[in-house]
Amino acid sequence: MKNMDTIAVLDFGGQYAHLIANRVRRLGVFTEIHSPNAPVSELEGVKGIIYSGGPSSVYAADAPEYNPEILSLPVPKLGICYGHQLLAFQQGGKVQPGKVKEYGIADLKVLEPADPIFDGVPQASPMWMSHGDSVSELPAGYKIIASTDDCPIAAVACPEKRLYGFQFHPEVTHSRFGMKVLENFVKFCGCEKSWNMKSYLPLITSRIREQVGNRKVFLLVSGGVDSTVAFVLLNRVLGPQKVLGLHIDNGMMRLNESQKIVDFLKAEGMDNLKVCDASEKFLEKLRGVTAPETKRGIIGREFLVVKDDEMAKLHLDPNEWMMAQGTIYPDTIESGGTKNADKIKTHHNRVQEVLDLMEKGLVLEPLADLYKDEVRALGEELGIPHHLVWRHPFPGPGLGVRLLCSEGKIGEEIVPAENVRDFSGKSLAEYLQENQIDGRILPIRSVGVQGDGRTYAQPFLLSTPGLSWKRCEKFSTELANRFKAINRVVYQIGTVGGEEKLVEQYATRKNFDTLRLFDNICTEFLQENDLYEKIWQMPVVLLPLRVQEKPCIVMRPVNSSEAMTANFAEIEPALLGELWRRFESAGAGSLWYDVTHKPPGTIEWE
């Protein structure tokens, strides 16, 4: 942005690359994402450069291309994880697979407390590690300034070149003093803090007007925070006569969701919103489908089909109208939207048909550079009422990604419990015995993210009664780090008793009604106990598992701000007893509590 100090982030495809940008923006400094192969001229005028993490190995044949001349730019540089390894490797250091792959919290021991990068940081600081490779030999001029028990070269500095390298991830919420470290780097770069939503609004206004020109805008309004803010923004910038909103009820909404959306927006004076009930069409397309990626693709394409049908009914000339979406950046990065990114999952607004329209310049995404916390801040700046801006996030496919489907048969991809072993060969049974806990690996899979890459592995059910949240967190982290077959851990809140049975489960109205019932019980529970705004989001998941023919439900309470990382939220155990009694009365077989942070588990299960 002109006349504003800027930090450049080189995107090597890590799931945290844009999280770094978000964190620096939150410190009040504008941040732009660039290809690591960008010409030096593109980075002219930046005050500092951050090399992001990434899923590759620096010595791999398919490692991302990068422009080595960027290193010669006379500004401070910070390498994080892969970026740290690349900077060392580029200058003659050595990188090799670590003896221990670290995924989780590690105690960082600061060896050079006087270094400006560690100003105000304790000499023992919990930081988040997520890596397999490590720097094993430093280039000339480098010095070690911090280490962990398993990573002797956890942070380095090269004073002559004003260069730092971190093996840990300061941008991740779990790194307790990560923001302080990033703030120190921003200060080291000499940046003025002048970035906020108030300064961004004029820029985004001019961009919208320039992109739209003389056309009108047709926006798909799901009713979530993002599409609501996008709808209000477009109405303010272009005027309601140039904007038309369409809410499509796809049969996968929460209880009475569509009516609430209409009531919310009309109360704000936005009568240019139409509602279409296309639930039968969506459910018919999803008949018999079980694969999560296939489901997402179908839902995304059907939105476009219904949109085209509605435009035809309204006699809207496609040449005069653009399609708009409330897409935010996590949607694109998790869909592999940058050149080097590993695909975690395809978002419904990133199916191929949408990408084709984008190539033709027919899609407007006014929020695509923002994260959830920035969207909320923009909503506040626009004067949108508090209750709209702070609604829990809800995915475009709705409950479609919270109802896990199955043919009822255990496939070859499911690892039997007796075959689950860690990197040392220790069995899962031995681990449980050593730690005196009970539990079992479940015969289903969910999406996760580890080491900047996608996982699709099995959840583990922790069933020992009376465990504290701290103990749950410990076992969740250890199980996901040590056992490749596990990427998520759930804790048993209540059960009618008996072994879980895998059953056939498809995307039918009956199953969605079941999920709507339990989802609504959870929402009312949060509101009654003054927890709704204290917990950032709580997806409720219907699993294809039954106990005594009754459904197994997972609650997934998380705290986050930008959706790229999250901690599972801790609800008072005494309250959960009452929640289980409500679930049992409503016909649930088991209630499980997801105690997995992101990473390694994504917020949604699909």
Side-chain angles (χ1 to χ4, degrees), residues 532-601:
Y532 189 79
E533 289 193 19
K534 294 176 182 176
I535 290 174
W536 188 74
Q537 184 178 5
M538 193 165 83
V540 178
V541 183
L542 176 63
L543 303 180
L545 297 171
R546 298 291 184 271
V547 176
Q548 295 186 24
E549 308 303 321
K550 297 180 179 181
C552 297
I553 312 292
V554 174
M555 55 189 294
R556 172 65 164 146
V558 296
N559 283 325
S560 181
S561 57
E562 75 304 299
M564 296 298 287
T565 63
N567 289 335
F568 79 85
E570 300 178 6
I571 297 176
E572 179 63 41
L575 295 177
L576 295 175
E578 170 58 29
L579 180 61
W580 164 240
R581 284 189 285 273
R582 295 189 195 183
F583 266 62
E584 189 175 16
S585 297
S590 290
L591 173 60
W592 298 332
Y593 194 114
D594 193 333
V595 291
T596 320
H597 295 317
K598 177 185 180 181

Side-chain angles (χ1 to χ4, degrees), residues 63-116:
E65 295 179 358
Y66 68 94
N67 180 0
E69 294 180 8
I70 293 175
L71 184 62
S72 65
L73 287 171
V75 297
K77 299 173 190 68
L78 168 62
I80 296 176
C81 199
Y82 179 89
H84 154 62
Q85 296 163 18
L86 178 65
L87 284 171
F89 186 72
Q90 186 182 351
Q91 297 174 84
K94 292 185 179 179
V95 178
Q96 62 185 33
K99 293 181 180 179
V100 177
K101 298 180 185 296
E102 291 184 294
Y103 300 109
I105 294 292
D107 286 326
L108 187 77
K109 299 171 184 176
V110 177
L111 307 177
E112 297 279 348
D115 192 290

